């Protein structure tokens, strides 16, 4: 019987990742910092300077010696000579030598070359000390960091002009199926607009890859085999559709003929009819055609493959409380879509199953995983949540 001996999600992922090549020095390129957003660092980068490289005023006001104004108050102001005992500074100005604090302008009054100070300040108060952000030699970012806007700002603050990054993995995306039509073509019962191609290629861009989407490939062994034979020109090949057990589902037999099948069918809901293979030396991940199943398999198998290539480590997750109970089928890992209210940290299940309901993804902002040994997670329980 078909799909009776399903592989666990963890084992399928391990088998796929064991055939994914991590990038090395031959896959590294230098890019200007302005073009590095969304790229993955291929080197550790440390600062060569203190940031900031001088002690600076954090407020508009007067640089003073804290000991001189220790008893200042509204009823008993300390009067300082301007220039000698107090000096005006703008926010960001270097603190003059010999001064160790800044009094905010609203706590002072200037008259006749004197400054009345109405409030004491502690040593270093309202001063950003040299090196308080980073000291020379401190790590700014490490190999495998997916560079975001704040990374670029800190790198530029350290005077970095260009960085070494891994090239973007080249991924071929192949939408398959006789039922698929292009936008603008006539839509009749039994036909649907092809949407998995744009979805998967967009995810790949977000995850740091460079996708190339083919035209729709019909359910033809010859045509599918012909395009899969291009696999060695890419780091990874992804197909969508044609992975189930119908007469038109030909991905598995074609992959078996021209390559090595790593797994066929995994214990994932939704996402059971997922196939992993290798053609030549290139991993191939065949995702289900139903969109929610396609997304689940992409997050749990495709995303880790891209991250392995690029040496990206760690992941973002947090805990939230379930608003409703969620049920799972024993022996299956469930990919549960959630809508998390970040004010209350309450997670509302959008849909637990429904492999063909794409709106269950657009209505969700996170997901959680229920392992194969759990039948129910009760309302009120805390679950680990991942952003979508």
């Amino acid at each position: 019987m078909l799909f009776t001996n399903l592989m666990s999600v963890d084992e399928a992922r391990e088998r796929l990742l064991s055939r994914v090549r991590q990038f090395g020095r031959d896959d590294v390129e230098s890019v200007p910092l302005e073009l590095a957003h969304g790229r993955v660092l291929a080197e550790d980068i440390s600062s060569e300077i203190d940031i900031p490289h001088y002690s600076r005023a954090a407020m508009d006001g007067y640089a003073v010696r804290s000991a001189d104004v220790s008893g200042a108050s509204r009823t008993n102001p300390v009067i300082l000579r301007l220039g000698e005992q107090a000096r005006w500074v703008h926010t960001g100005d270097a603190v003059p030598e010999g001064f160790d604090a800044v009094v905010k302008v609203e706590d002072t009054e200037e008259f006749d070359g004197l400054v009345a100070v109405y409030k004491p300040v502690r040593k270093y108060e309202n001063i950003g000390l040299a090196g308080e952000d980073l000291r020379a030699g401190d790590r700014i970012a490490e190999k495998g960091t997916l560079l975001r806007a704040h990374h670029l700002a800190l790198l530029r603050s350290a005077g970095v002009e260009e960085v070494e990054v891994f090239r973007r993995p080249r991924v071929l995306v192949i939408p398959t199926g006789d039922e698929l039509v292009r936008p603008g073509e006539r839509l009749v019962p039994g036909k649907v607009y092809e949407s998995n191609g744009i979805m998967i290629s967009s995810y790949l861009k977000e995850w740091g890859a460079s996708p190339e989407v083919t035209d729709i490939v019909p359910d033809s062994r010859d045509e599918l085999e012909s395009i899969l034979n291009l696999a060695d020109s890419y780091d990874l090949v992804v197909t969508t559709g044609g992975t189930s057990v119908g007469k038109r589902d030909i991905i598995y037999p074609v992959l078996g003929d021209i390559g090595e099948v790593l797994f066929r069918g995994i214990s994932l809901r939704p996402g059971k009819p997922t196939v992993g293979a290798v053609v030549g030396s290139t991993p191939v991940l065949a995702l289900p055609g139903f969109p929610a199943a396609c997304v689940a398999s992409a997050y749990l198998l495709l995303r880790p493959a891209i991250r392995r290539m690029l040496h990206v480590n760690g992941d973002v997750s947090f805990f939230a409380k379930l608003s409703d109970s969620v049920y799972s089928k024993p022996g299956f890992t469930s990919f549960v879509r959630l809508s998390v209210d970040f004010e209350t940290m309450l997670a509302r299940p959008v849909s637990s199953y429904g492999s063909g309901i794409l709106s269950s993804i657009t209505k969700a902002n996170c997901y959680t995983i229920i392992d194969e040994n759990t039948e129910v997670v009760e309302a009120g329980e805390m679950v680990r949540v991942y952003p979508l």
Side-chain angles (χ1 to χ4, degrees), residues 4 47 118 155 160-161 165 183 238 242 264 268 366 372 378:
T4 54
S47 181
Y118 298 115
L155 288 164
V160 174
E161 296 183 61
V165 297
V238 181
R264 185 199 187 191
L268 175 65
C366 297
E372 58 188 19
E378 301 287 355

Side-chain angles (χ1 to χ4, degrees), residues 332-349:
F332 279 82
T333 296
S334 289
F335 181 92
V336 182
R337 288 81 89 187
L338 301 171
S339 176
V340 176
D341 183 328
F342 290 102
E343 289 189 9
T344 62
M345 294 308 291
L346 197 64
R348 178 178 61 83

